Amino acid sequence: MVRWLREWSAEIAGFAILTLFLWITQGRTDPLNQLRLPFPLQVPASVETFSTLFLSIFIEGIPFILIGVLVSGLIQVYVREETIWRLIPRKRIFAIPMAATLGIFLPVCECGIVPITKRLIQKGMPTYTAFTFLLAAPVINPVTITSTYIAFGSDWNMTVSRMALTILIACTMGFLISIFLSGNPLRENRNEHHCCEHRDKQRDPHHPNPFPEDRLGHALYHGIFEFMNMGKYFVAGAAVAALFQTWIGLSAIHDFAQYGWVATLFMMGLAFGLSLCVSADAFVAASFRSVMPSAPVLAFLVFGPIMDLKNLLMMAENFRPKVVRMMFVGTFVLTLVAVELWKTFGF
């Protein structure tokens, strides 16, 4: 028992602190005040409001984070990249639209789409097809579609609009890349040779794979690390959304939202900075729908999975600067134009 407590002491302490924090922020301070502390322990109403908003967003979104990382882990282990690009037609007029919808059959979170795209290009997939898949797959997949549908109260209008605009932007970028981008888009990496040697060693019988038979265990192992990586972004996003609504106030956001396309730029910038996981970003976006028009909220849903801070950094690490600049500027302009057209024609 003592050994077990020593081994798990950090986890137990963290859980105890989290429980105490939630207890206090929910206003359960009477038992603590009975301890006769030298000062009265009072929780401001704003803190209680913040915790309520934060927990509502967190509890709604966390199941979809778990589903997303589980699917991603299974794909990582059981699906080979060669199978993906062999199914895509060679002619770009057919390949680009098909690549934009491939995520329905191959759900991939945007947190892992960049390295997958890099591997697809290395295995021979045309650049324009691979980048179309990179932009569309995080949104055009069953997990994201379901989470968006539930987050917006079973509203198919917002769900279908998000899918349609994402496919439109991804296909447009695919055709632009096929016209203006030539040569190898991958960045030279000094560690690439070392990584290849490491993979070769894992295939070597003298250097066995750490998961030689337990492929499901490997998928779960991958999912745990991806959950830790994505979870911190989602928690930060939920906290920022709750902070906006608690301390800045819904009325201030509502007044700012009256500036038309400026509100759209604001929500695009917020989506870029928060870098939320696409499996649960709809729940953060839905928290703004009472004070923001539909167009800025849609811009948040479309631009975030396509181009956020973490994706930009990963792209800069793996692709040439020219490619990254083209992707950022192109997706930014296309998202702004597409959302404004959507608002104008009232789809």
Side-chain angles (χ1 to χ4, degrees), residues 164 208 216 225 261 299:
L216 180 59
F225 282 94
W261 61 271

Side-chain angles (χ1 to χ4, degrees), residues 172-216:
T172 303
M173 284 300 301
F175 283 109
L176 290 175
I177 289 171
S178 68
I179 296 172
F180 297 106
L181 188 64
S182 60
N184 183 14
L186 300 180
R187 188 186 188 98
E188 294 183 3
N189 192 340
R190 291 176 295 179
N191 296 325
E192 188 72 24
H193 180 68
H194 173 73
C195 293
C196 293
E197 287 183 347
H198 178 69
R199 289 194 297 266
D200 292 338
K201 287 181 179 180
Q202 287 188 337
R203 299 189 185 100
D204 193 303
H206 298 291
H207 298 84
N209 192 301
F211 301 94
E213 297 180 358
D214 187 10
R215 302 179 71 185
L216 180 59

Side-chain angles (χ1 to χ4, degrees), residues 75-88:
I75 290 174
Q76 178 78 10
V77 175
Y78 289 100
V79 178
R80 297 178 64 86
E81 290 85 353
E82 297 93 328
T83 305
I84 302 173
W85 69 267
R86 286 175 181 171
L87 298 175
I88 298 179

Side-chain angles (χ1 to χ4, degrees), residues 15-343:
F15 180 78
I17 294 172
L18 177 62
T19 303
L20 180 62
F21 169 77
L22 296 178
W23 182 276
I24 292 175
T25 55
Q26 289 301 307
R28 310 295 195 266
T29 58
D30 291 340
L32 295 176
N33 286 328
Q34 292 176 3
L35 297 177
R36 297 181 179 180
L37 296 173
F39 52 88
L41 185 58
Q42 298 293 334
V43 177
S46 59
V47 175
E48 294 184 12
T49 302
F50 165 78
S51 65
T52 301
L53 291 170
F54 170 79
L55 289 175
S56 65
I57 297 171
F58 179 83
I59 293 173
E60 284 183 320
I62 202 65
F64 292 94
I65 293 281
L66 293 172
I67 294 173
V69 299
L70 177 61
V71 172
S72 176
L74 293 173
I75 290 174
Q76 178 78 10
V77 175
Y78 289 100
V79 178
R80 297 178 64 86
E81 290 85 353
E82 297 93 328
T83 305
I84 302 173
W85 69 267
R86 286 175 181 171
L87 298 175
I88 298 179
R90 298 298 179 184
K91 294 184 177 181
R92 66 182 178 183
I93 193 172
F94 300 114
I96 291 176
M98 184 172 180
T101 59
L102 194 60
I104 296 178
F105 310 100
L106 187 69
V108 181
C109 177
E110 92 284 1
C111 301
I113 192 66
V114 172
I116 291 176
T117 302
K118 179 181 178 180
R119 287 196 295 268
L120 290 173
I121 294 174
Q122 289 174 332
K123 293 177 181 294
M125 176 179 280
T127 301
Y128 54 83
T129 306
F131 281 119
T132 303
F133 175 72
L134 181 150
L135 296 174
V139 173
I140 312 302
N141 76 69
V143 176
T144 304
I145 294 170
T146 304
S147 66
T148 306
Y149 177 75
I150 293 175
F152 283 86
S154 304
D155 181 11
W156 276 114
N157 182 45
M158 184 62 73
T159 305
V160 173
S161 296
R162 184 185 196 185
M163 295 170 59
L165 263 63
T166 300
I167 291 176
L168 176 63
I169 293 170
C171 289
T172 303
M173 284 300 301
F175 283 109
L176 290 175
I177 289 171
S178 68
I179 296 172
F180 297 106
L181 188 64
S182 60
N184 183 14
L186 300 180
R187 188 186 188 98
E188 294 183 3
N189 192 340
R190 291 176 295 179
N191 296 325
E192 188 72 24
H193 180 68
H194 173 73
C195 293
C196 293
E197 287 183 347
H198 178 69
R199 289 194 297 266
D200 292 338
K201 287 181 179 180
Q202 287 188 337
R203 299 189 185 100
D204 193 303
H206 298 291
H207 298 84
N209 192 301
F211 301 94
E213 297 180 358
D214 187 10
R215 302 179 71 185
L216 180 59
H218 190 186
L220 295 176
Y221 183 81
H222 173 81
I224 289 172
F225 282 94
E226 193 159 346
F227 174 78
M228 297 300 294
N229 181 52
M230 293 188 297
K232 60 179 180 288
Y233 294 109
F234 176 61
V235 169
V240 170
L243 284 170
F244 263 86
Q245 297 185 47
T246 303
W247 277 282
I248 296 180
L250 297 179
S251 59
I253 301 176
H254 179 72
D255 294 339
F256 181 80
Q258 302 305 310
Y259 290 99
W261 61 271
V262 178
T264 302
L265 288 176
F266 171 77
M267 292 300 287
M268 290 172 62
L270 189 63
F272 177 83
L274 292 181
S275 299
L276 297 176
C277 175
V278 71
S279 301
D281 63 348
F283 294 96
V284 175
S287 67
F288 291 103
R289 60 183 170 174
S290 61
V291 293
M292 276 285 184
S294 297
V297 174
L298 181 60
F300 181 96
L301 291 171
V302 172
F303 189 67
I306 288 177
M307 185 64 63
D308 59 24
L309 182 58
K310 68 177 184 301
N311 269 7
L312 183 66
L313 294 176
M314 287 190 290
M315 290 176 63
E317 177 69 20
N318 292 281
F319 304 128
R320 295 184 181 276
K322 177 182 177 181
V323 178
V324 178
R325 287 194 299 268
M326 182 178 181
M327 292 286 286
F328 179 82
V329 175
T331 55
F332 180 87
V333 173
L334 287 174
T335 302
L336 184 61
V337 171
V339 170
E340 288 300 311
L341 289 175
W342 179 88
K343 180 176 65 176

